[in-house]
Amino acid sequence: MIPRYSRPDMVKIWSPETKFRIWYEIEAHACEAMADLGVIPRENAEAVWKAKDVEFDVARIDEIEAVTKHDVIAFLTHLAEHVGSDEARFVHQGMTSSDVLDTCFNVQLVRAADILITDVEGLLTALKKRAMEHKDTLRVGRSHGIHAEPTTMGLTFARFYAEMDRNLTRLRTARDEISTGAISGAIGTFANVDPAVEEHVCAKLGLNPEPISTQVIPRDRHAAFFAALGVVASSIENIATEIRHMQRTEVLEGAEFFSMGQKGSSAMPHKKNPILTENLTGLARVVRMAVVPAMENVALWHERDISHSSVERNIGPDTTITLDFALARLTSVIDKMLIFPDNMLDNMNKFPGLVMSQRVLLALTQAGVSREDAYAMVQRNALKVWEHRTDFREELLADEDVLKALSVEEINEKFDMGYHTKHVDTIFKRVFG
């Protein structure tokens, strides 16, 4: 992933240095377990640990791979240069490349998931803070982009909180599902490596042994992992899209923070553009584009092929690095976001009283008017408001048919904003406990 959309902790997980360190630990722990079983001499297993403080030379490994055309063999050759050729002769005993590659990949995904989980927890804190701050801040709810009925800004933040809280559960589940390792040898039968070796290596790396592998760890696990990341990305876009709509000049109910010295346009000095949330919309697409390839990786030939390998070398780092950056950016946007309550009320009153149409409709039906007649009575008055920007309540009070069914007091009572916010506390209790 390009540095512009990267953060160092996540990038480090996918560095060659980190990868080779994990490979080394897998091989060293495997030798340790084999020595315990009496499969290899204890002194050879101990000799491998001589490299525990070595910084493996990435350039040297690449140089060897240019000849061997095999990355794991290149690494093992370089390891022998540090340990000693004779001492290292039992390294990788009975193992396959996939034992190392797949187990390492899952270690990296688990570490990436830990960062993403922390990211989501930080975002939840920001969303909860803004929800509580604007619990009673009135704004108009919209369906199809059109004014519907009153809601509050706090409820908007609360529903995003609930959505991200579900995503936190998804990420934790994905982490658990991907936390497996396999040291099962060719075709996964353990013919040349004892299952106890796998158990030992997995315990040391914080993984669970894969119940049944072939020569690879089953890729349905990875499909579920990247699908979970795709859902998180979609939720990021959901929030970002709402903020972008709120920042439109005609709406301006909320906006990204505009810092001192920031420029909105190279041509138009007046511009304040929602560049951060637009960026998040794009980054969400980058994350989601990994989902279908991850699904397609599930179907491999027989016990293995490597059609999945090139895909995962790309989507592993790119997707997790991008999502980590996006979550951090969104948290900052929410923390600093500007809210304009007065504009919310102004927007709601652009068509005075119109958002109370359902209350009047229900009151008429409860007063004995058929639903069809009641709908026609309310709509004809509502359309006058749409067309002439008159006051909906005044139109109703001038309608003889409405006054036959409802008193002036009953009509006036239907324009109490508190009616629409009376269950906000109940919803907040459901969301936040």
Side-chain angles (χ1 to χ4, degrees):
M1 198 60 207
I2 62 175
R4 186 181 184 92
Y5 305 127
S6 304
R7 301 205 305 160
D9 287 349
M10 187 66 87
V11 170
K12 186 178 179 181
I13 289 173
W14 300 104
S15 70
E17 292 82 2
T18 298
K19 179 182 71 174
F20 292 135
R21 174 54 49 181
I22 297 170
W23 286 13
Y24 167 72
E25 291 175 2
I26 292 169
E27 297 285 5
H29 288 307
C31 287
E32 193 174 66
M34 290 179 197
D36 291 341
L37 293 168
V39 175
I40 68 172
R42 174 69 61 187
E43 56 268 25
N44 289 80
E46 292 175 350
V48 177
W49 287 111
K50 289 193 301 184
K52 65 183 177 65
D53 296 320
V54 167
E55 290 187 14
F56 296 108
D57 189 336
V58 176
R60 173 59 181 152
I61 295 169
D62 289 343
E63 179 186 347
I64 299 169
E65 186 181 352
V67 177
T68 64
K69 304 296 190 292
H70 196 292
D71 54 356
V72 175
I73 292 174
F75 170 75
L76 294 173
T77 302
H78 180 54
L79 177 60
E81 292 176 341
H82 289 284
V83 175
S85 183
D86 185 62
E87 289 90 339
R89 72 182 189 275
F90 294 110
V91 173
H92 207 66
Q93 182 92 357
M95 294 167 58
T96 72
S97 297
S98 292
D99 289 334
V100 178
L101 295 171
D102 280 14
T103 301
C104 173
F105 189 45
N106 281 10
V107 168
Q108 291 172 300
L109 290 177
V110 167
R111 292 179 184 179
D114 287 337
I115 291 177
L116 295 174
I117 286 167
T118 299
D119 290 342
V120 173
E121 289 171 340
L123 177 56
L124 286 170
T125 298
L127 288 168
K128 182 176 181 179
K129 176 186 173 185
R130 301 315 299 266
M132 295 300 179
E133 181 183 351
H134 291 286
K135 178 179 169 184
D136 300 313
T137 302
L138 282 168
R139 70 183 294 233
V140 68
R142 297 169 173 88
S143 58
H144 307 277
I146 308 300
H147 284 197
E149 292 192 349
T151 183
T152 76
M153 191 65 214
L155 288 176
T156 300
F157 283 121
R159 68 181 168 90
F160 291 144
Y161 177 96
E163 183 173 346
M164 276 299 169
D165 192 47
R166 293 191 293 275
N167 282 326
L168 182 61
T169 299
R170 292 181 182 113
L171 283 177
R172 287 171 174 163
T173 299
R175 183 198 185 280
D176 289 344
E177 190 167 0
I178 208 67
S179 299
T180 67
I183 311 292
S184 53
I187 311 303
T189 61
F190 296 102
N192 296 302
V193 58
D194 194 286
V197 175
E198 180 182 80
E199 292 171 6
H200 178 80
V201 172
C202 287
K204 291 295 184 180
L205 296 175
L207 303 175
N208 298 306
E210 180 62 47
I212 177 169
S213 55
T214 54
Q215 200 161 316
V216 293
I217 291 174
R219 257 46 196 183
D220 63 290
R221 294 185 181 276
H222 303 77
F225 184 89
F226 287 102
L229 268 54
V231 175
V232 177
S234 292
S235 293
I236 289 173
E237 184 176 9
N238 187 26
I239 299 172
T241 300
E242 178 66 21
I243 295 171
R244 289 169 62 195
H245 280 309
M246 280 196 282
Q247 191 163 334
R248 289 164 53 212
T249 308
E250 297 84 356
V251 179
L252 203 57
E253 296 180 354
E256 297 174 11
F257 178 76
F258 199 80
S259 61
M260 184 67 68
Q262 183 175 341
K263 304 292 189 291
S265 166
S266 63
M268 297 166 283
H270 72 278
K271 296 276 281 180
K272 288 186 177 183
N273 301 331
I275 57 171
L276 300 178
T277 44
E278 288 176 342
N279 170 257
L280 288 170
T281 299
L283 293 178
R285 296 169 186 167
V286 174
V287 175
R288 285 197 301 269
M289 77 179 184
V291 176
V292 171
M295 298 286 180
E296 292 174 341
N297 277 353
V298 175
L300 302 177
W301 284 21
H302 302 298
E303 277 62 50
R304 72 159 294 189
D305 63 54
I306 63 165
S307 60
H308 63 286
S309 176
S310 57
V311 176
E312 291 169 352
R313 288 173 191 262
N314 281 280
I315 68 174
D318 284 1
T319 305
T320 55
I321 289 170
T322 302
L323 189 58
D324 169 51
F325 180 89
L327 285 166
R329 170 155 285 183
L330 180 57
T331 300
S332 178
V333 168
I334 297 298
D335 268 332
K336 300 175 182 178
M337 185 177 169
L338 304 176
I339 307 295
F340 306 115
D342 290 344
N343 289 353
M344 293 178 184
L345 289 177
D346 287 344
N347 286 337
M348 192 158 6
N349 291 321
K350 279 184 178 178
F351 299 93
L354 205 56
V355 292
M356 300 301 188
S357 71
Q358 183 178 191
R359 285 210 70 194
V360 179
L361 170 66
L362 296 177
L364 287 169
T365 59
Q366 290 165 357
V369 181
S370 73
R371 183 174 178 84
E372 292 75 15
D373 289 343
Y375 196 100
M377 291 159 63
V378 173
Q379 188 180 45
R380 71 179 178 230
N381 288 289
L383 290 177
K384 293 176 185 178
V385 181
W386 273 113
E387 294 166 8
H388 305 294
R389 295 290 182 94
T390 54
D391 186 290
F392 184 52
R393 175 166 23 186
E394 291 178 2
E395 294 292 347
L396 292 171
L397 291 171
D399 189 309
E400 293 183 1
D401 292 333
V402 173
L403 288 173
K404 288 178 182 176
L406 299 175
S407 67
V408 172
E409 291 75 15
E410 287 173 326
I411 293 172
N412 286 332
E413 188 270 330
K414 300 302 177 287
F415 289 81
D416 174 22
M417 284 288 180
Y419 175 85
H420 291 280
T421 60
K422 61 181 181 291
H423 293 304
V424 170
D425 285 337
T426 300
I427 298 171
F428 264 59
K429 187 173 182 180
R430 288 180 174 184
V431 174
F432 301 110

